[in-house]
Amino acid sequence: MSTPLTKMHHCNLVLVRRMDFRQTHDGAMRDFVAHLFPGQYCDTIALAGVVQMLAEPENAPPIITSIGIGIESHKAKTVVLIDHTNCGYRLLRRKQKGCAPFDSIQEEQDAIISDLRRARQVVLDQYPEVNVCLYLAVLSDIDDTIDFRLIPDN
């Protein structure tokens, strides 16, 4: 089976998100991107712990390289960073560092937002000309929903 490719060799966005299947089941991520950025193409970087890694200077270079391909080769003008709650990678990293699990949902969300903001600065340090949008994806195990929340710049 062959699928036609776009004739364009550029896209508008670089989407950076964790690889967790819960973000993509039932087309949730596709629908989210299509709603906020209608008709726009995007490069996608999906990797376990990607936002945390981007926020840590020792782990950021391979991710910055991938983002750079989207910006330099594919002419993307916006980078969208999405991180989510209830993440096994984040809990594993906390355990490896000798930290206890989060005491509350708010503590977890504050840590994610902090990582998102640090990751944004890493991207902007390398590519000051791009727009960087931050989203927190709140995953609910109760009703199998995802609530994408825009994180303000401050």
Side-chain angles (χ1 to χ4, degrees):
M1 180 176 126
S2 66
T3 303
L5 296 174
T6 177
K7 295 191 186 307
M8 301 181 335
H9 191 70
H10 64 273
C11 63
N12 308 87
L13 311 167
V14 177
L15 175 65
V16 181
R17 64 172 186 83
R18 291 184 187 267
M19 67 178 219
D20 194 308
F21 73 95
R22 294 173 295 172
Q23 292 184 60
T24 57
H25 82 287
D26 296 333
M29 186 64 66
R30 181 194 64 239
D31 293 347
F32 168 73
V33 172
H35 175 74
L36 282 180
F37 307 99
Q40 298 187 27
Y41 295 104
C42 72
D43 283 334
T44 301
I45 301 166
L47 184 67
V50 70
V51 170
Q52 275 178 280
M53 292 168 58
L54 186 56
E56 299 169 347
E58 67 274 13
N59 295 320
I63 300 158
I64 282 293
T65 298
S66 295
I67 292 170
I69 292 168
I71 294 169
E72 295 172 19
S73 297
H74 300 158
K75 310 301 182 211
K77 302 290 184 216
T78 301
V79 175
V80 179
L81 302 176
I82 301 176
D83 204 347
H84 70 83
T85 59
N86 193 12
C87 175
Y89 178 88
R90 183 177 297 279
L91 294 176
L92 177 63
R93 289 293 303 258
R94 285 180 65 85
K95 185 177 179 181
Q96 289 171 342
K97 292 178 180 181
C99 299
F102 295 107
D103 289 330
S104 68
I105 293 170
Q106 188 60 53
E107 182 184 7
E108 178 190 26
Q109 290 182 9
D110 289 347
I112 294 167
I113 291 168
S114 176
D115 285 344
L116 282 163
R117 288 183 171 148
R118 284 196 329 270
R120 174 199 295 146
Q121 193 56 56
V122 170
V123 173
L124 290 173
D125 287 348
Q126 190 71 31
Y127 298 102
E129 72 281 7
V130 300
N131 179 36
V132 180
C133 302
L134 307 179
Y135 287 90
L136 170 63
V138 179
L139 306 182
S140 172
D141 289 335
I142 296 169
D143 59 2
D144 274 346
T145 60
I146 303 174
D147 179 22
F148 292 97
R149 301 177 184 171
L150 176 66
I151 304 303
D153 289 344
N154 56 352

